[in-house]
Amino acid sequence: MNFILRDNKNKVYQTFWGESKENEKRITQNTKTIYFKTKQHLIINYVTPNFDVDEHLGPGWKNDQELYSRLVEGFNILEYDNLIE
């Protein structure tokens, strides 16, 4: 699966290319949990391999390939149910 994780408030995104269905499901569920408990502006969008940032998201967005890891780590520090990366 090809998708991006977007943090709309900070205008950063992370790309995920060729993820297995299992990884995609875990990342999606963890993102939903983080969103519902912290109210962060997070969205997952499915994209094609020829994804164009400016066309899809608009100007000013930055790629951050550590976004998901930081979100999970930050969530776990808050002593909620620990998520598995």
Coordinates of all heavy atoms in Angstrom, one line a residue:
M1 N 0.8 -1.2 0.0 CA 0.0 0.0 0.0 C 0.9 1.2 0.0 O 1.9 1.3 0.7 CB -0.9 0.0 1.2 CG -1.8 -1.2 1.4 SD -3.1 -1.4 0.2 CE -4.0 0.1 0.3
N2 N 0.5 2.2 -0.7 CA 1.1 3.5 -0.8 C 0.3 4.6 -0.1 O -0.9 4.8 -0.6 CB 1.4 3.9 -2.2 CG 2.3 2.9 -2.9 OD1 3.3 2.4 -2.4 ND2 2.0 2.7 -4.2
F3 N 0.8 5.2 0.9 CA 0.0 6.2 1.6 C 0.9 7.3 2.2 O 2.1 7.0 2.4 CB -1.0 5.6 2.6 CG -0.3 4.8 3.7 CD1 0.0 5.3 4.9 CD2 0.0 3.4 3.4 CE1 0.5 4.6 5.9 CE2 0.5 2.7 4.4 CZ 0.8 3.2 5.7
I4 N 0.3 8.4 2.6 CA 1.0 9.4 3.4 C 0.3 9.6 4.7 O -0.9 9.5 4.8 CB 1.2 10.7 2.6 CG1 -0.2 11.3 2.3 CG2 2.0 10.5 1.4 CD1 -0.1 12.7 1.7
L5 N 1.1 10.0 5.7 CA 0.5 10.4 7.0 C 0.8 11.9 7.1 O 1.9 12.4 6.9 CB 1.3 9.7 8.2 CG 1.0 10.2 9.6 CD1 -0.4 10.1 9.9 CD2 1.9 9.5 10.6
R6 N -0.3 12.7 7.3 CA -0.2 14.1 7.3 C -0.5 14.7 8.7 O -1.4 14.3 9.3 CB -1.2 14.7 6.3 CG -1.1 14.4 4.9 CD -2.2 14.9 4.0 NE -3.0 16.0 4.5 CZ -4.1 16.3 4.0 NH1 -4.6 15.7 2.9 NH2 -4.9 17.3 4.5
D7 N 0.3 15.6 9.1 CA 0.1 16.4 10.3 C -0.3 17.8 9.7 O 0.6 18.6 9.3 CB 1.4 16.5 11.1 CG 1.2 17.4 12.3 OD1 0.3 18.3 12.4 OD2 2.1 17.4 13.2
N8 N -1.6 18.1 9.7 CA -2.1 19.3 9.1 C -1.7 20.5 9.8 O -1.5 21.6 9.2 CB -3.6 19.2 8.9 CG -4.0 18.3 7.8 OD1 -3.2 17.9 6.9 ND2 -5.3 17.9 7.8
K9 N -1.6 20.5 11.1 CA -1.3 21.7 11.9 C 0.1 22.2 11.6 O 0.4 23.3 11.4 CB -1.4 21.4 13.4 CG -1.1 22.6 14.2 CD -1.2 22.3 15.7 CE -0.9 23.5 16.5 NZ -0.9 23.2 17.9
N10 N 1.1 21.2 11.5 CA 2.5 21.6 11.3 C 2.9 21.5 9.8 O 4.1 21.7 9.5 CB 3.4 20.7 12.1 CG 3.1 20.9 13.6 OD1 3.1 22.0 14.1 ND2 2.7 19.9 14.3
K11 N 2.0 21.1 8.9 CA 2.3 20.9 7.5 C 3.5 20.1 7.2 O 4.4 20.4 6.5 CB 2.5 22.3 6.8 CG 1.1 23.1 6.8 CD 1.2 24.3 6.0 CE 0.9 24.0 4.6 NZ 0.7 25.2 3.7
V12 N 3.5 18.9 7.9 CA 4.6 17.9 7.6 C 3.9 16.6 7.2 O 2.7 16.3 7.6 CB 5.5 17.7 8.8 CG1 6.3 18.9 9.1 CG2 4.8 17.2 10.0
Y13 N 4.6 15.8 6.5 CA 4.0 14.5 6.0 C 5.1 13.4 6.0 O 6.3 13.8 5.9 CB 3.3 14.6 4.7 CG 4.3 14.8 3.5 CD1 4.7 13.8 2.8 CD2 4.7 16.1 3.3 CE1 5.6 14.0 1.7 CE2 5.6 16.3 2.2 CZ 6.0 15.2 1.5 OH 6.9 15.4 0.4
Q14 N 4.7 12.2 6.0 CA 5.6 11.0 5.9 C 5.0 10.1 4.8 O 3.8 9.9 4.8 CB 5.8 10.3 7.2 CG 6.7 9.1 7.0 CD 7.0 8.4 8.4 OE1 6.6 8.9 9.4 NE2 7.7 7.3 8.3
T15 N 5.9 9.7 3.9 CA 5.4 8.7 2.9 C 5.7 7.3 3.3 O 6.7 7.0 4.0 CB 6.2 9.0 1.5 OG1 7.6 8.9 1.7 CG2 5.8 10.4 1.0
F16 N 4.8 6.4 2.9 CA 4.9 5.0 3.1 C 4.7 4.3 1.7 O 3.6 4.4 1.2 CB 3.9 4.5 4.1 CG 4.1 5.0 5.5 CD1 3.5 6.2 5.8 CD2 4.8 4.4 6.4 CE1 3.6 6.8 7.1 CE2 5.0 4.9 7.7 CZ 4.4 6.1 8.0
W17 N 5.7 3.7 1.2 CA 5.6 3.0 -0.1 C 5.7 1.5 0.0 O 6.6 1.0 0.7 CB 6.8 3.5 -1.0 CG 6.8 5.0 -1.2 CD1 7.7 5.9 -0.7 CD2 5.8 5.8 -1.8 NE1 7.4 7.2 -1.0 CE2 6.2 7.2 -1.7 CE3 4.6 5.5 -2.5 CZ2 5.4 8.2 -2.3 CZ3 3.8 6.6 -3.0 CH2 4.3 7.9 -2.9
G18 N 4.8 0.8 -0.6 CA 4.9 -0.6 -0.6 C 4.7 -1.3 0.7 O 5.2 -2.4 0.9
E19 N 4.0 -0.7 1.6 CA 3.8 -1.3 3.0 C 2.9 -2.5 2.8 O 1.9 -2.5 2.0 CB 3.1 -0.3 3.9 CG 4.0 0.8 4.3 CD 5.1 0.4 5.2 OE1 5.0 -0.5 6.0 OE2 6.2 1.1 5.1
S20 N 3.1 -3.5 3.7 CA 2.2 -4.7 3.7 C 0.9 -4.2 4.3 O 0.8 -3.2 4.9 CB 2.8 -5.8 4.6 OG 2.8 -5.4 5.9
K21 N -0.1 -5.0 4.0 CA -1.5 -4.8 4.5 C -1.5 -4.7 6.0 O -2.1 -3.9 6.6 CB -2.4 -5.8 4.0 CG -3.9 -5.5 4.2 CD -4.3 -4.3 3.2 CE -5.8 -4.2 3.2 NZ -6.1 -2.9 2.8
E22 N -0.7 -5.6 6.6 CA -0.6 -5.7 8.1 C 0.0 -4.4 8.7 O -0.5 -3.9 9.6 CB 0.3 -6.9 8.5 CG 0.5 -7.1 10.0 CD 1.3 -8.3 10.3 OE1 0.8 -9.4 10.1 OE2 2.5 -8.1 10.7
N23 N 1.1 -3.9 8.1 CA 1.7 -2.7 8.5 C 0.8 -1.5 8.3 O 0.7 -0.6 9.2 CB 3.1 -2.4 7.8 CG 4.2 -3.3 8.4 OD1 4.1 -3.8 9.5 ND2 5.3 -3.4 7.7
E24 N 0.2 -1.5 7.2 CA -0.8 -0.4 6.9 C -1.9 -0.3 7.9 O -2.3 0.7 8.4 CB -1.3 -0.5 5.4 CG -2.3 0.5 5.0 CD -3.7 0.1 5.2 OE1 -4.0 -1.1 5.2 OE2 -4.6 1.0 5.3
K25 N -2.4 -1.5 8.3 CA -3.5 -1.6 9.2 C -3.0 -1.1 10.6 O -3.7 -0.3 11.3 CB -4.0 -3.0 9.3 CG -5.2 -3.2 10.2 CD -5.7 -4.6 10.2 CE -6.9 -4.8 11.1 NZ -7.4 -6.1 11.0
R26 N -1.8 -1.5 11.0 CA -1.3 -1.1 12.3 C -1.0 0.4 12.4 O -1.4 1.1 13.3 CB 0.0 -1.8 12.6 CG 0.7 -1.5 13.9 CD 1.9 -2.2 14.2 NE 2.8 -2.4 13.0 CZ 3.6 -1.5 12.5 NH1 3.6 -0.3 13.0 NH2 4.3 -1.8 11.4
I27 N -0.4 1.0 11.3 CA -0.1 2.4 11.2 C -1.4 3.2 11.3 O -1.6 4.2 12.0 CB 0.7 2.7 10.0 CG1 2.1 2.1 10.2 CG2 0.8 4.2 9.8 CD1 2.9 2.1 8.9
T28 N -2.4 2.8 10.5 CA -3.7 3.4 10.4 C -4.4 3.4 11.8 O -4.9 4.4 12.3 CB -4.6 2.8 9.4 OG1 -4.0 2.9 8.1 CG2 -6.0 3.5 9.3
Q29 N -4.4 2.2 12.4 CA -5.1 2.1 13.8 C -4.4 3.0 14.8 O -5.0 3.7 15.6 CB -5.1 0.7 14.2 CG -5.9 0.5 15.5 CD -7.4 1.0 15.4 OE1 -8.1 0.7 14.4 NE2 -7.8 1.8 16.3
N30 N -3.0 3.0 14.8 CA -2.3 3.8 15.8 C -2.5 5.3 15.5 O -2.7 6.0 16.5 CB -0.8 3.5 15.7 CG -0.4 2.2 16.3 OD1 -1.2 1.5 17.0 ND2 0.8 1.7 16.1
T31 N -2.6 5.7 14.3 CA -2.8 7.1 13.9 C -4.2 7.5 14.4 O -4.4 8.6 15.0 CB -2.7 7.3 12.4 OG1 -1.3 7.0 12.0 CG2 -3.0 8.7 12.1
K32 N -5.2 6.6 14.2 CA -6.6 6.9 14.7 C -6.6 7.1 16.2 O -7.2 8.0 16.8 CB -7.5 5.8 14.3 CG -7.9 5.9 12.8 CD -8.9 4.8 12.5 CE -9.2 4.7 11.0 NZ -10.1 3.6 10.7
T33 N -5.9 6.2 16.9 CA -5.8 6.2 18.4 C -5.2 7.5 18.8 O -5.7 8.2 19.8 CB -5.0 5.0 18.9 OG1 -5.7 3.8 18.5 CG2 -4.9 5.1 20.4
I34 N -4.1 7.9 18.2 CA -3.4 9.1 18.6 C -4.3 10.3 18.3 O -4.5 11.2 19.2 CB -2.1 9.3 17.8 CG1 -1.1 8.2 18.3 CG2 -1.5 10.7 18.0 CD1 0.2 8.1 17.4
Y35 N -5.0 10.3 17.2 CA -5.9 11.4 16.8 C -7.0 11.6 17.9 O -7.3 12.7 18.4 CB -6.5 11.2 15.4 CG -7.6 12.1 15.1 CD1 -7.3 13.4 14.6 CD2 -8.9 11.8 15.2 CE1 -8.3 14.3 14.3 CE2 -9.9 12.6 14.9 CZ -9.6 13.9 14.5 OH -10.6 14.8 14.2
F36 N -7.7 10.5 18.2 CA -8.8 10.5 19.1 C -8.4 10.9 20.5 O -9.2 11.6 21.2 CB -9.6 9.2 19.1 CG -10.4 9.0 17.9 CD1 -10.2 7.9 17.1 CD2 -11.4 9.9 17.4 CE1 -10.9 7.7 15.9 CE2 -12.1 9.7 16.3 CZ -11.9 8.6 15.5
K37 N -7.3 10.5 21.0 CA -6.9 10.8 22.4 C -6.2 12.1 22.5 O -6.2 12.7 23.6 CB -6.1 9.7 22.9 CG -6.9 8.4 23.1 CD -6.3 7.4 24.1 CE -7.2 6.2 24.3 NZ -6.7 5.4 25.3
T38 N -5.5 12.6 21.5 CA -4.7 13.8 21.6 C -5.3 15.0 20.8 O -4.8 16.1 20.9 CB -3.2 13.6 21.2 OG1 -3.2 13.4 19.8 CG2 -2.6 12.5 21.9
K39 N -6.2 14.7 19.9 CA -6.8 15.7 19.0 C -5.8 16.4 18.1 O -6.0 17.5 17.7 CB -7.6 16.7 19.8 CG -8.7 16.2 20.7 CD -9.7 15.3 19.9 CE -10.7 14.8 20.9 NZ -11.3 13.6 20.4
Q40 N -4.7 15.7 17.8 CA -3.8 16.2 16.8 C -4.4 16.1 15.4 O -5.2 15.2 15.2 CB -2.5 15.4 16.8 CG -1.7 15.6 18.1 CD -0.3 14.9 18.1 OE1 0.4 15.1 17.1 NE2 -0.1 14.1 19.1
H41 N -4.0 17.0 14.5 CA -4.6 17.1 13.2 C -3.9 16.1 12.3 O -3.0 16.5 11.5 CB -4.5 18.5 12.7 CG -5.2 19.5 13.5 ND1 -6.5 19.8 13.3 CD2 -4.7 20.2 14.5 CE1 -6.8 20.7 14.2 NE2 -5.8 21.0 15.0
L42 N -4.2 14.8 12.4 CA -3.5 13.7 11.6 C -4.5 13.1 10.6 O -5.7 12.8 11.0 CB -3.0 12.7 12.5 CG -2.1 13.1 13.7 CD1 -1.8 12.0 14.6 CD2 -0.8 13.7 13.1
I43 N -4.0 12.9 9.4 CA -4.8 12.2 8.4 C -3.9 11.3 7.6 O -2.8 11.6 7.3 CB -5.4 13.3 7.4 CG1 -6.4 14.2 8.2 CG2 -6.1 12.6 6.2 CD1 -6.9 15.4 7.3
I44 N -4.5 10.2 7.1 CA -3.8 9.3 6.2 C -4.5 9.4 4.9 O -5.8 9.3 4.8 CB -3.8 7.8 6.7 CG1 -2.9 7.7 7.9 CG2 -3.5 6.8 5.6 CD1 -2.7 6.3 8.5
N45 N -3.7 9.5 3.8 CA -4.3 9.6 2.5 C -3.5 8.5 1.6 O -2.3 8.4 1.7 CB -4.0 10.9 1.8 CG -4.8 12.0 2.4 OD1 -4.2 12.9 3.0 ND2 -6.1 12.0 2.3
Y46 N -4.3 7.8 0.8 CA -3.7 6.8 -0.1 C -3.3 7.6 -1.4 O -4.1 8.4 -1.8 CB -4.7 5.7 -0.4 CG -4.9 4.9 0.9 CD1 -6.0 5.3 1.8 CD2 -4.1 3.9 1.3 CE1 -6.1 4.6 3.0 CE2 -4.2 3.2 2.5 CZ -5.3 3.6 3.3 OH -5.4 2.9 4.5
V47 N -2.1 7.3 -1.8 CA -1.6 8.0 -3.0 C -1.0 7.0 -4.0 O -0.7 5.9 -3.7 CB -0.5 9.0 -2.6 CG1 -1.1 10.1 -1.7 CG2 0.6 8.3 -1.8
T48 N -0.8 7.5 -5.2 CA -0.1 6.7 -6.2 C 1.4 6.9 -6.2 O 1.8 7.9 -5.6 CB -0.7 7.1 -7.6 OG1 -0.3 8.5 -7.9 CG2 -2.2 6.9 -7.7
P49 N 2.1 6.1 -6.8 CA 3.6 6.3 -6.8 C 4.1 7.6 -7.4 O 5.1 8.0 -7.1 CB 4.1 5.1 -7.6 CG 3.0 4.0 -7.5 CD 1.8 4.8 -7.4
N50 N 3.3 8.2 -8.3 CA 3.7 9.4 -8.9 C 3.1 10.6 -8.1 O 2.9 11.7 -8.7 CB 3.3 9.5 -10.4 CG 1.8 9.4 -10.6 OD1 1.0 9.0 -9.6 ND2 1.3 9.6 -11.8
F51 N 2.9 10.5 -6.8 CA 2.4 11.5 -5.9 C 3.2 12.7 -6.0 O 4.4 12.7 -5.9 CB 2.4 10.9 -4.5 CG 2.3 11.9 -3.4 CD1 1.1 12.5 -3.1 CD2 3.4 12.2 -2.6 CE1 1.0 13.4 -2.1 CE2 3.3 13.1 -1.6 CZ 2.1 13.7 -1.3
D52 N 2.6 13.9 -6.2 CA 3.2 15.2 -6.3 C 2.8 16.0 -5.1 O 1.6 16.3 -4.9 CB 2.9 15.9 -7.6 CG 3.5 17.2 -7.7 OD1 2.9 18.2 -7.2 OD2 4.6 17.3 -8.3
V53 N 3.7 16.4 -4.2 CA 3.4 17.1 -3.0 C 2.6 18.4 -3.2 O 1.6 18.6 -2.6 CB 4.6 17.4 -2.2 CG1 4.3 18.2 -0.9 CG2 5.4 16.1 -1.8
D54 N 3.2 19.2 -4.1 CA 2.5 20.5 -4.4 C 1.1 20.4 -5.0 O 0.2 21.1 -4.6 CB 3.4 21.4 -5.3 CG 4.7 21.9 -4.5 OD1 4.6 22.0 -3.3 OD2 5.7 22.1 -5.2
E55 N 1.0 19.4 -5.8 CA -0.3 19.2 -6.5 C -1.3 18.6 -5.5 O -2.5 19.0 -5.4 CB -0.2 18.2 -7.7 CG -1.5 18.0 -8.4 CD -1.3 17.1 -9.6 OE1 -0.3 17.2 -10.3 OE2 -2.1 16.1 -9.7
H56 N -0.9 17.7 -4.7 CA -1.8 17.0 -3.7 C -2.1 17.8 -2.5 O -3.2 17.9 -2.0 CB -1.2 15.6 -3.4 CG -2.2 14.7 -2.6 ND1 -3.2 14.0 -3.2 CD2 -2.2 14.5 -1.3 CE1 -3.8 13.3 -2.3 NE2 -3.3 13.6 -1.1
L57 N -1.0 18.4 -1.9 CA -1.1 19.1 -0.6 C -1.1 20.6 -0.7 O -1.6 21.3 0.2 CB 0.0 18.6 0.4 CG 0.1 17.1 0.7 CD1 1.3 16.8 1.5 CD2 -1.2 16.6 1.3
G58 N -0.4 21.1 -1.7 CA -0.3 22.5 -1.8 C 1.1 22.9 -1.3 O 1.9 22.1 -0.9
P59 N 1.5 24.2 -1.4 CA 2.8 24.6 -1.1 C 3.1 24.7 0.4 O 2.1 24.7 1.2 CB 2.8 26.1 -1.7 CG 1.4 26.5 -1.7 CD 0.6 25.3 -1.9
G60 N 4.3 24.6 0.8 CA 4.7 24.8 2.1 C 4.8 23.5 3.0 O 5.2 23.6 4.2
W61 N 4.6 22.3 2.4 CA 4.6 21.1 3.2 C 6.1 20.5 3.2 O 6.8 20.7 2.2 CB 3.7 20.0 2.6 CG 2.3 20.3 2.9 CD1 1.4 21.2 2.3 CD2 1.5 19.7 3.9 NE1 0.2 21.2 2.9 CE2 0.2 20.3 3.9 CE3 1.8 18.7 4.8 CZ2 -0.8 19.9 4.7 CZ3 0.8 18.3 5.7 CH2 -0.5 18.9 5.7
K62 N 6.4 19.9 4.3 CA 7.8 19.4 4.5 C 7.7 17.9 4.7 O 6.8 17.4 5.4 CB 8.5 20.0 5.7 CG 8.6 21.5 5.6 CD 9.9 21.9 5.0 CE 10.1 23.4 5.1 NZ 9.7 24.2 4.0
N63 N 8.6 17.1 4.1 CA 8.6 15.7 4.3 C 9.4 15.4 5.6 O 10.5 16.0 5.8 CB 9.3 15.0 3.1 CG 9.3 13.5 3.3 OD1 10.0 12.9 4.2 ND2 8.6 12.8 2.4
D64 N 8.9 14.5 6.4 CA 9.5 14.1 7.7 C 9.3 12.6 7.8 O 8.3 12.2 8.3 CB 8.9 14.9 8.8 CG 9.5 14.5 10.2 OD1 10.3 13.6 10.2 OD2 9.1 15.1 11.2
Q65 N 10.3 11.9 7.5 CA 10.2 10.4 7.5 C 10.3 9.8 8.9 O 10.2 8.6 9.0 CB 11.3 9.8 6.6 CG 11.0 10.0 5.1 CD 9.7 9.4 4.6 OE1 8.8 10.2 4.2 NE2 9.5 8.1 4.7
E66 N 10.4 10.7 9.9 CA 10.4 10.2 11.3 C 9.1 10.6 12.0 O 8.9 10.4 13.2 CB 11.6 10.8 12.1 CG 12.9 10.3 11.5 CD 13.1 8.8 11.6 OE1 12.7 8.2 12.7 OE2 13.6 8.2 10.6
L67 N 8.1 11.2 11.3 CA 6.9 11.7 11.8 C 6.2 10.6 12.6 O 5.8 10.8 13.8 CB 6.0 12.3 10.8 CG 4.6 12.7 11.2 CD1 4.7 13.9 12.2 CD2 3.8 13.2 10.0
Y68 N 5.9 9.5 12.0 CA 5.1 8.4 12.7 C 5.8 7.9 13.9 O 5.2 7.8 15.0 CB 4.9 7.3 11.7 CG 4.2 6.1 12.3 CD1 2.9 6.2 12.7 CD2 4.9 4.9 12.6 CE1 2.2 5.1 13.2 CE2 4.3 3.8 13.2 CZ 2.9 3.9 13.5 OH 2.3 2.9 14.1
S69 N 7.1 7.7 13.9 CA 7.9 7.2 15.0 C 7.8 8.2 16.2 O 7.6 7.8 17.3 CB 9.4 7.0 14.7 OG 9.5 5.9 13.8
R70 N 7.9 9.5 15.9 CA 7.8 10.5 16.9 C 6.4 10.6 17.5 O 6.3 10.8 18.7 CB 8.3 11.9 16.4 CG 9.7 12.1 16.4 CD 10.1 13.6 16.3 NE 9.3 14.3 15.4 CZ 9.4 14.4 14.1 NH1 10.3 13.6 13.5 NH2 8.6 15.1 13.4
L71 N 5.4 10.5 16.7 CA 4.0 10.5 17.2 C 3.8 9.3 18.1 O 3.2 9.5 19.2 CB 3.0 10.4 16.0 CG 2.9 11.7 15.2 CD1 2.1 11.4 13.9 CD2 2.3 12.8 16.0
V72 N 4.2 8.1 17.8 CA 4.1 6.9 18.6 C 4.8 7.1 19.9 O 4.3 6.9 21.0 CB 4.4 5.6 17.9 CG1 4.5 4.5 18.9 CG2 3.5 5.4 16.8
E73 N 6.1 7.5 19.8 CA 6.9 7.7 21.0 C 6.3 8.8 22.0 O 6.2 8.6 23.2 CB 8.3 8.1 20.7 CG 9.1 7.0 20.0 CD 10.5 7.5 19.5 OE1 10.9 8.7 19.7 OE2 11.1 6.7 18.7
G74 N 5.9 9.9 21.4 CA 5.2 11.0 22.2 C 3.9 10.5 22.9 O 3.7 10.8 24.0
F75 N 3.2 9.7 22.2 CA 1.9 9.1 22.7 C 2.2 8.2 23.9 O 1.6 8.3 24.9 CB 1.2 8.4 21.6 CG -0.1 7.8 22.0 CD1 -1.3 8.6 22.0 CD2 -0.2 6.5 22.5 CE1 -2.5 8.1 22.4 CE2 -1.4 6.0 22.8 CZ -2.6 6.8 22.8
N76 N 3.2 7.3 23.7 CA 3.6 6.4 24.7 C 4.1 7.1 26.0 O 3.9 6.6 27.1 CB 4.6 5.4 24.2 CG 3.9 4.4 23.2 OD1 2.7 4.2 23.2 ND2 4.7 3.7 22.5
I77 N 4.8 8.2 25.8 CA 5.3 9.0 27.0 C 4.2 9.5 27.8 O 4.3 9.7 29.0 CB 6.3 10.1 26.5 CG1 7.6 9.5 26.0 CG2 6.5 11.1 27.6 CD1 8.5 10.4 25.3
L78 N 3.1 9.8 27.2 CA 1.9 10.4 27.9 C 1.2 9.4 28.7 O 0.2 9.7 29.4 CB 0.9 11.0 26.9 CG 1.5 12.2 26.1 CD1 0.4 12.7 25.1 CD2 1.7 13.4 27.1
E79 N 1.7 8.2 28.8 CA 1.2 7.1 29.6 C -0.2 6.6 29.2 O -0.9 6.1 30.0 CB 1.3 7.5 31.1 CG 2.7 7.7 31.6 CD 2.7 8.0 33.1 OE1 1.9 7.5 33.8 OE2 3.6 8.9 33.4
Y80 N -0.5 6.7 28.0 CA -1.7 6.1 27.5 C -1.3 4.6 27.3 O -0.2 4.2 27.5 CB -2.1 6.7 26.1 CG -2.6 8.1 26.2 CD1 -1.9 9.2 25.8 CD2 -3.9 8.3 26.8 CE1 -2.4 10.5 25.9 CE2 -4.4 9.6 26.9 CZ -3.6 10.7 26.4 OH -4.1 11.9 26.5
D81 N -2.2 3.8 26.7 CA -1.9 2.5 26.3 C -0.8 2.5 25.4 O -0.8 3.3 24.4 CB -3.1 1.8 25.7 CG -4.3 1.7 26.6 OD1 -4.0 1.5 27.9 OD2 -5.4 1.7 26.2
N82 N 0.3 1.8 25.6 CA 1.5 1.8 24.7 C 1.1 1.3 23.4 O 0.6 0.2 23.2 CB 2.6 1.1 25.3 CG 3.3 1.9 26.4 OD1 3.2 3.1 26.5 ND2 4.1 1.3 27.2
L83 N 1.5 2.0 22.3 CA 1.3 1.6 20.9 C 2.6 0.9 20.5 O 3.7 1.3 20.9 CB 1.0 2.8 20.0 CG -0.2 3.6 20.4 CD1 -0.3 4.8 19.5 CD2 -1.5 2.8 20.3
I84 N 2.5 0.0 19.6 CA 3.7 -0.7 19.0 C 3.9 -0.1 17.7 O 3.0 -0.1 16.8 CB 3.4 -2.2 18.9 CG1 3.2 -2.8 20.3 CG2 4.6 -2.9 18.3 CD1 2.8 -4.2 20.4
E85 N 5.2 0.3 17.5 CA 5.5 0.9 16.1 C 5.5 -0.2 15.1 O 5.4 -0.7 14.4 CB 6.9 1.5 16.2 CG 6.9 3.0 16.4 CD 8.3 3.6 16.3 OE1 8.6 3.8 15.1 OE2 8.9 3.8 17.3

